[in-house]
Amino acid sequence: MERPWPEAEEMASSSPDAPCSCDCFVSVPPASAIPAVIFAKNSDRPRDEVQEVVFVPAGTHAPGSRLQCTYIEVEQVSKTHAVILSRPSWLWGAEMGANEHGVCIGNEAVWTKEPLREGEALLGMDLLRLALERSTSAQEALHVITGLLERYGQGGSCLEDPAPFCYHNTFLLADRTEAWVLETAGRLWAAQRIQEGARNISNQLSIGTDISAQHPELQTHAQAQGWWDGQGTFDFAQVFSLTQQPVRMEAAKARFLAGRELLRQQQGGITAEVMMGILRDKESGICMDSGGFRTTASMVSVLPQDPMQPCMHFLTATPDPSRSVFKPFIFGAGVAQAPQVLSPTFGAQDPVRTLPRFQTQVDRRHILYRGHQAALGLMESDQDRGQQLRQKQRDLEQEGLKALRGLLASEWAPPFQELGSLFQAFVKRESQAYL
């Protein structure tokens, strides 16, 4: 069942405590309507923050190489995999992305009893990109993240703002066969393996007693802090969640429950279109537009269990999925960066690079973002022109979904070069539609 495109009205909220939030979803057969794992994420960030879509090719690196992440350097590995990333354009990591081996990851902010560390370390978004570049499966990606957590820790401001805003992270990791939920509290963590069914995460600890793997000191640390008496079955969410939740996490609980219910309603029939519909759901708050935050980018990935079929990733590169186009990306021989979704760079003068950080602002809008913002303005000011633009968006998106269905049914088998240039072609056509 395909959920209809919402009308253009915005969610009415001007709360100063509007949450910085995200929602991730995954469907593993038999919850999926097709023999594929389906991954989805809405990235909810400050409403004027720009997300770019960046392709990074595979690479080899000299022994002893160092890698500059958003704030700190880490040791580079000898080989990194090709990745497609949707990321806030001021930082190194990513909110969500995929690699050439069909691994997808999305992250979420979370606050727990474990205190936030002072100083700069790896952002959750850095950990996400590092895992995609270094893993060939969801489970391997989990090991990459937990290993880096142990060595470098997580920390640093997650917003492009002089006032620091810090959090710990949860992750949803998926590949062609399964998914993992990884939830962290400082260097500590618990993980849950998902081998069938549907699952979502939304800015709160959600792993209870069903723990598939964990940090070796997780329970002893909880006992030492007086958070758990050591009796009965250990419940990670119950033990590590804050006793009094901040407003942003109470709002996340409602979205988590709404997302779980939307998945339950579609059990056995979940497709890419269904996931796109869930990401466009304004009533639940999953498609967010609340105060200073909104959904700034979205992604849906279809990961066929048949390794001979290519994975297809749909990315918006623009805010508000209810008025954006999910454009198809496939790793192939012709893959290159689409310039229309790449933000300008500012080198050593970038406010994230100069100390103290974030004392000035720069214009990070890319070409598609500018065109899309102008189109949103038209949709609100000129009903006839707005309807025409929205129809163009729908038609373009349906072309991408038709290509997906053709690939899965072996009815469309274009040259490898054509597969690789698919995203570039769709981005170019969307940009032209806004002229």
Side-chain angles (χ1 to χ4, degrees), residues 330-336 416-421:
I330 298 176
F331 287 94
V335 175
F416 209 46
Q417 186 83 15
E418 187 176 332
L419 284 179
S421 60

Side-chain angles (χ1 to χ4, degrees), residues 69-72 90 115-127 148-149 152-159 164-169 184 186-187 357:
C69 300
T70 301
Y71 297 128
I72 69 168
W90 61 271
L116 299 168
R117 65 172 285 170
E118 294 184 5
E120 295 176 340
L122 289 173
L123 296 178
M125 294 169 280
D126 293 337
L127 291 164
L148 290 166
L149 263 183
Y152 298 103
Q154 57 181 320
S157 183
C158 302
L159 297 185
F165 183 73
C166 306
Y167 49 75
H168 293 155
N169 290 267
T184 74
R187 283 184 163 86
R357 302 191 200 275

Side-chain angles (χ1 to χ4, degrees), residues 357-404:
R357 302 191 200 275
F358 309 128
Q359 299 303 300
T360 59
Q361 293 184 328
V362 292
D363 187 351
R364 301 187 188 275
R365 293 176 298 170
H366 50 67
I367 292 170
L368 183 64
Y369 185 97
R370 290 173 181 269
H372 182 262
Q373 291 302 100
L376 292 189
L378 271 176
M379 289 178 189
E380 293 167 0
S381 64
D382 185 332
Q383 186 174 2
D384 290 340
R385 178 70 175 131
Q387 288 292 340
Q388 292 172 9
L389 283 171
R390 292 181 71 214
Q391 191 59 52
K392 286 183 178 180
Q393 288 182 326
R394 291 187 183 98
D395 292 345
L396 187 59
E397 184 171 287
Q398 284 301 315
E399 280 192 45
L401 290 166
K402 182 180 178 181
L404 170 65

Side-chain angles (χ1 to χ4, degrees), residues 26-29 36-39 102-104 137-140 142 172-181 192-197 303 305:
V26 71
S27 172
V28 180
V37 173
I38 305 174
F39 168 92
V103 179
C104 295
S137 70
Q139 188 171 21
E140 185 180 10
L142 184 149
L172 184 60
L173 311 95
D175 60 28
R176 291 177 181 268
T177 62
E178 64 180 10
W180 286 80
V181 174
Q192 182 183 54
R193 191 177 198 172
I194 313 298
Q195 294 181 293
E196 62 177 25
L303 316 173
Q305 292 181 318

Side-chain angles (χ1 to χ4, degrees), residues 81-278:
H81 309 300
V83 296
I84 187 74
L85 307 170
S86 184
R87 72 179 188 188
S89 55
W90 61 271
L91 52 76
W92 181 84
E95 276 278 297
M96 51 201 170
N99 71 18
E100 61 185 306
H101 300 287
V103 179
C104 295
I105 311 177
N107 80 306
E108 311 259 343
V110 70
W111 293 265
T112 72
K113 290 176 183 174
E114 189 68 15
L116 299 168
R117 65 172 285 170
E118 294 184 5
E120 295 176 340
L122 289 173
L123 296 178
M125 294 169 280
D126 293 337
L127 291 164
L128 186 155
R129 176 174 173 178
L130 288 163
L132 288 174
E133 291 186 342
R134 300 177 179 198
S135 65
T136 59
S137 70
Q139 188 171 21
E140 185 180 10
L142 184 149
H143 293 319
V144 169
I145 292 174
T146 56
L148 290 166
L149 263 183
E150 187 68 28
R151 181 163 187 181
Y152 298 103
Q154 57 181 320
S157 183
C158 302
L159 297 185
E160 189 181 14
D161 192 276
F165 183 73
C166 306
Y167 49 75
H168 293 155
N169 290 267
T170 65
F171 301 87
L172 184 60
L173 311 95
D175 60 28
R176 291 177 181 268
T177 62
E178 64 180 10
W180 286 80
V181 174
L182 170 62
E183 300 184 337
T184 74
R187 283 184 163 86
L188 304 173
W189 55 272
Q192 182 183 54
R193 191 177 198 172
I194 313 298
Q195 294 181 293
E196 62 177 25
R199 182 73 154 83
N200 62 311
I201 59 173
S202 298
N203 302 107
Q204 58 184 318
L205 299 181
S206 62
I207 298 174
T209 60
D210 186 9
I211 300 173
S212 306
Q214 65 184 43
H215 189 284
E217 299 171 10
L218 184 68
Q219 295 183 19
T220 55
H221 179 80
Q223 284 185 275
Q225 297 298 315
W227 301 337
W228 183 52
D229 61 7
Q231 303 299 310
T233 306
F234 180 78
D235 186 312
F236 175 67
Q238 186 178 76
V239 170
F240 275 84
S241 292
L242 291 167
T243 305
Q244 288 190 316
Q245 301 280 10
V247 172
R248 54 182 169 262
M249 291 188 75
E250 285 298 326
K253 184 184 298 182
R255 289 197 335 276
F256 172 75
L257 294 173
R260 187 171 67 181
E261 176 60 18
L262 289 169
L263 289 173
R264 188 197 65 79
Q265 291 173 5
Q266 300 292 338
Q267 281 275 357
I270 297 174
T271 62
E273 295 97 318
V274 167
M275 285 296 200
M276 290 174 189
I278 291 174

